[in-house]
Amino acid sequence: MGVPLSERNRAGHKRYKEDVEREGKSFWPYAVLHDAIMSSCRSSSSR
Amino acid sequence: MATKTSRKHSLADAALIPLDWTEERSGLVGYTKWFLFRKVPHDISWAQTLGAASLTAFIVQATTGVFLAMYYKPDPSNAYSSIQNITEELTLGWLVRGMHKWGASVFIILMFLHMARVFLFGAYKYPRELNWILGALILVSGMAEGFTGYLLPWDNTAYWATVVGININATGPFVGPFLAQFLQGGLMIGPDTLPKFYALHMLVLPGAIMALIGLHLYLVVRLGVTSPPWSKTAAGRERGPEAGAREGLIREPATEGDSA
């Protein structure tokens, strides 16, 4: 007998929250400034 | 040296006074921190910026729309000439109108791309179903913005395109004829249609879109951003042998009844 889908979904989302808390990067300033702006500056300067 | 440091501290304290004042009365600083200082999965990429790009396109539309509304006259005898005045006489009017006209297409295209990304990443699934519905409502409202805005120049193209659009609406089941009559403000397109479209275009629909975007963003922050489906280190991934077994990657142990 498998685990009901709703319970699997809830467990999956709980795991998602824990993973993001443990392995994720900060939205500000890392994801916005570093990923978006600084990486584009780096790629344009390397051209 | 000590005086310089203490002056620096007192300047920093002075800068914080308005922030503290606002926070104490509204909690806005706390909400901003909640929005900005959160974590996102480590493997997000440029694909996840399409939502922010759509929001930027909407802000451009709202800003240029405010300037256009200052000079546009929503009555049939003056509408076309006021558009000509904006385009040909006003300083940078051509630019603002051009940004608004082409920005409308950009807004819709970005929303489609954003929705395609959400669909392909499976980001509409539990627990983000409600946010998908909100996004779809924003898309429909954005398209309604395009439809109502198209009539405003009040030239031949605008008039006949609206006739076609309203006729299509009229073919809808049950509510179609009533909707068509409501949009026209009568049995056919006339002087009442233009102000009605203008009110919908610059008050009702932008208000609805802003409210929907607010809810959409709240849910994005609350529920989080999904990792790309191909990521081997996706946030929320299943671990252990049962993850492989579910995907058919690991063979279930053979039982006595198995023939081969």
Side-chain angles (χ1 to χ4, degrees):
Chain A
M1 185 88 182
V3 185
L5 183 65
S6 57
E7 272 180 41
R8 234 170 47 209
N9 281 339
R10 273 187 215 112
H13 190 60
K14 188 168 170 276
R15 220 167 35 238
Y16 164 85
K17 286 280 181 187
E18 288 163 359
D19 286 351
V20 169
E21 199 52 48
R22 196 175 49 249
E23 306 163 353
K25 57 189 172 191
S26 49
F27 173 72
W28 179 271
Y30 194 85
V32 175
L33 280 181
H34 182 274
D35 280 12
I37 298 168
M38 286 167 69
S39 63
S40 56
C41 292
R42 200 169 50 219
S43 60
S44 62
S45 64
S46 63
R47 252 177 248 145
Chain B
M1 184 74 180
T3 332
K4 205 173 179 181
T5 316
S6 65
R7 196 185 298 154
K8 207 173 177 180
H9 278 298
S10 57
L11 270 174
D13 288 343
L16 286 175
I17 289 171
L19 283 181
D20 289 339
W21 191 92
T22 314
E23 172 63 7
E24 201 177 337
R25 284 154 186 81
S26 64
L28 269 177
V29 178
Y31 290 129
T32 311
K33 281 182 180 169
W34 175 73
F35 180 79
L36 285 179
F37 303 116
R38 61 193 158 99
K39 283 192 161 181
V40 290
H42 68 96
D43 47 8
I44 58 166
S45 65
W46 279 96
Q48 274 99 336
T49 59
L50 286 164
S54 309
L55 175 63
T56 309
F58 175 72
I59 292 169
V60 168
Q61 289 305 98
T63 312
T64 51
V66 166
F67 286 107
L68 291 175
M70 289 175 185
Y71 300 97
Y72 176 70
K73 295 184 176 66
D75 74 279
S77 49
N78 291 312
Y80 185 68
S81 57
S82 71
I83 291 281
Q84 277 186 315
N85 178 50
I86 289 169
T87 315
E88 286 158 26
E89 304 294 331
L90 290 176
T91 309
L92 296 179
W94 58 273
L95 179 67
V96 175
R97 190 181 164 219
M99 283 172 75
H100 197 75
K101 183 187 171 185
W102 294 106
S105 301
V106 171
F107 180 44
I108 299 290
I109 290 167
L110 282 171
M111 277 197 290
F112 265 111
L113 291 174
H114 175 53
M115 286 183 95
R117 198 280 298 169
V118 170
F119 182 75
L120 293 173
F121 278 31
Y124 57 90
K125 293 177 187 169
Y126 176 90
R128 301 182 180 84
E129 302 94 326
L130 181 61
N131 222 14
W132 171 263
I133 293 168
L134 286 173
L137 288 175
I138 295 172
L139 178 70
V140 171
S141 307
M143 290 169 91
E145 276 282 50
F147 179 60
T148 50
Y150 207 83
L151 179 69
L152 302 186
W154 201 245
D155 54 11
N156 263 308
T157 316
Y159 182 88
W160 290 108
T162 307
V163 168
V164 172
I166 287 179
N167 285 343
I168 292 171
N169 271 295
T171 60
F174 309 115
V175 291
F178 299 104
L179 183 64
Q181 199 172 337
F182 165 76
L183 286 170
Q184 283 171 168
L187 291 172
M188 56 184 290
I189 292 178
D192 291 338
T193 317
L194 190 57
K196 187 170 271 187
F197 270 52
Y198 185 58
L200 288 170
H201 185 75
M202 68 161 289
L203 289 171
V204 180
L205 290 167
I209 292 177
M210 278 181 211
L212 289 168
I213 287 177
L215 284 170
H216 195 70
L217 281 178
Y218 166 72
L219 288 182
V220 166
V221 178
R222 182 185 157 88
L223 302 171
V225 183
T226 41
S227 289
W230 56 81
S231 172
K232 287 190 169 61
T233 53
R237 63 193 176 279
E238 290 184 331
R239 273 94 165 172
E242 60 286 358
R246 184 163 298 133
E247 290 172 14
L249 300 175
I250 299 173
R251 191 185 288 244
E252 296 280 349
T255 54
E256 273 179 42
D258 288 346
S259 53

